[in-house]
Amino acid sequence: MQYRRSGRSGIQLPAVSLGLWHNFGGVDNFENSRAMLRRAFDLGITHFDLANNYGPPYGSAEETFGQILKKDFLPYRDELIISTKAGWDMWPGPYGNLGSRKNLLASLDQSLKRMGLEYVDIFYHHRPDPDTPMEESIGALDTAVRSGRALYAGISAYNAKQTAQAVKILRALGTPCLIHQPKYSMFVRDPEQGLLDVLEKEGVGAIVFSPLAQGLLSDRYLKGIPSDSRAARDFFLKKKDIGEDRLAKVRALNEIAAQRGQTLAEMAVAWVLRDPRVTSALVGTSKISQVDDNVAALKNLKFSAEELLKIDGVLAGK
């Protein structure tokens, strides 16, 4: 495993981190979830990323993680970075969503209880709330840190302008922003339009989620949409987004990966990590072999100028 410093902080994160968005909920096989976490730690993945509503049902990923933590990881707590978030819908009524101080701090208390922790290493506001003053949402992150319920503050899904504002507020409060969590992959390049520049200027790290574009940038879709895939369930990855044009790009990218001696998934992880402003690639897995596959990307992180031009050409439809 390689470790990278998060911005100008003292924290180093593994180049590959494990997210518990899918496959760790109450509906999933507990022993499979446990085996993936154990394998990840054995490979040097020290960062596990959660959120209050990961499951399903909501909250159950944190409960699963709490059980596994108690069984396997408590002796290693100080070797782990554990994060959680609040800001998407969690419980009914006006206080279980978005960015009020009430929602964020109540949610954090619930998360700590579900996981059996005294503190998390990183507490994120999961998304900006247009109807709540940013000073209130960001102030709640400051309170979480000052109260000892979190060691660091983070934000997710904020655009470049919002990020600059949030970083400024946190710095004024005396609780610097450790990290930003944007969506980034070969198919989703929005962070390149200013966000990564802001993070570099402000000394904030970046941990990018969905580097495999919900599995699309893997060998799963080379021959179409498998019946047991995420796209087949038509939920986060939509069938309508996987037309023949998109599949042709996936196949062409797969050829480039093969020339590099990598699988497409390995190249997709390596591609987001090519940028020194990216601290870590946050991956999701459904079986142990996928943990190994994602970490295998670290064997070849270098891209030639020609390879990057080829990839850009494929993405542009040339």
Side-chain angles (χ1 to χ4, degrees), residues 37-242:
L37 285 169
R38 289 167 63 105
R39 180 59 177 160
F41 187 63
D42 285 345
L43 291 175
I45 293 177
T46 52
H47 177 29
F48 300 141
D49 178 80
L50 298 104
N52 56 354
N53 64 355
Y54 287 177
Y58 287 173
S60 60
E62 289 181 330
E63 290 172 351
T64 295
F65 181 75
Q67 294 175 52
I68 297 169
L69 183 75
K70 189 174 181 180
K71 288 176 182 289
D72 298 325
F73 289 105
L74 279 183
Y76 310 103
R77 174 64 184 97
D78 294 334
E79 296 178 48
L80 294 173
I81 297 289
I82 300 167
S83 62
T84 196
K85 317 177 198 72
W88 287 96
D89 57 304
M90 181 59 195
W91 65 85
Y95 313 119
N97 202 344
L98 293 168
S100 71
R101 180 180 182 85
K102 168 79 170 173
N103 171 54
L104 295 181
L105 294 177
S107 179
L108 177 56
D109 286 340
Q110 292 174 19
S111 292
L112 293 174
K113 188 174 181 180
R114 281 190 289 267
M115 291 188 282
L117 290 171
E118 294 181 358
Y119 69 92
V120 290
D121 297 277
I122 308 169
F123 181 51
Y124 288 90
H125 187 205
H126 209 160
R127 60 166 171 167
D129 176 0
D131 298 320
T132 297
M134 192 179 288
E135 288 79 4
E136 179 176 344
S137 301
I138 298 303
L141 298 182
D142 173 66
T143 297
V145 172
R146 291 186 181 277
S147 66
R149 285 175 276 183
L151 299 186
Y152 297 93
I155 53 176
S156 179
Y158 280 56
N159 64 30
K161 183 178 179 181
Q162 292 165 332
T163 296
Q165 185 181 353
V167 168
K168 183 178 179 181
I169 295 169
L170 274 170
R171 186 171 288 137
L173 291 169
T175 300
C177 184
L178 173 74
I179 198 162
H180 186 298
Q181 188 175 132
K183 179 185 283 190
Y184 186 46
S185 71
M186 286 188 275
F187 284 147
V188 179
R189 300 180 66 166
D190 303 30
E192 295 172 2
Q193 307 305 310
L195 176 62
L196 290 172
D197 291 335
V198 169
L199 298 180
E200 181 178 32
K201 177 185 175 184
E202 300 293 349
V204 177
I207 179 168
V208 301
F209 72 93
S210 290
L212 304 189
Q214 292 286 303
L216 187 55
L217 289 167
S218 73
D219 59 10
R220 292 277 281 156
Y221 297 92
L222 293 176
K223 298 179 181 178
I225 302 176
S227 60
D228 61 343
S229 66
R230 287 186 185 179
R233 295 196 293 271
D234 207 29
F235 192 33
F236 288 107
L237 186 61
K238 305 289 188 182
K239 288 181 181 177
K240 66 179 178 60
D241 296 329
I242 311 178

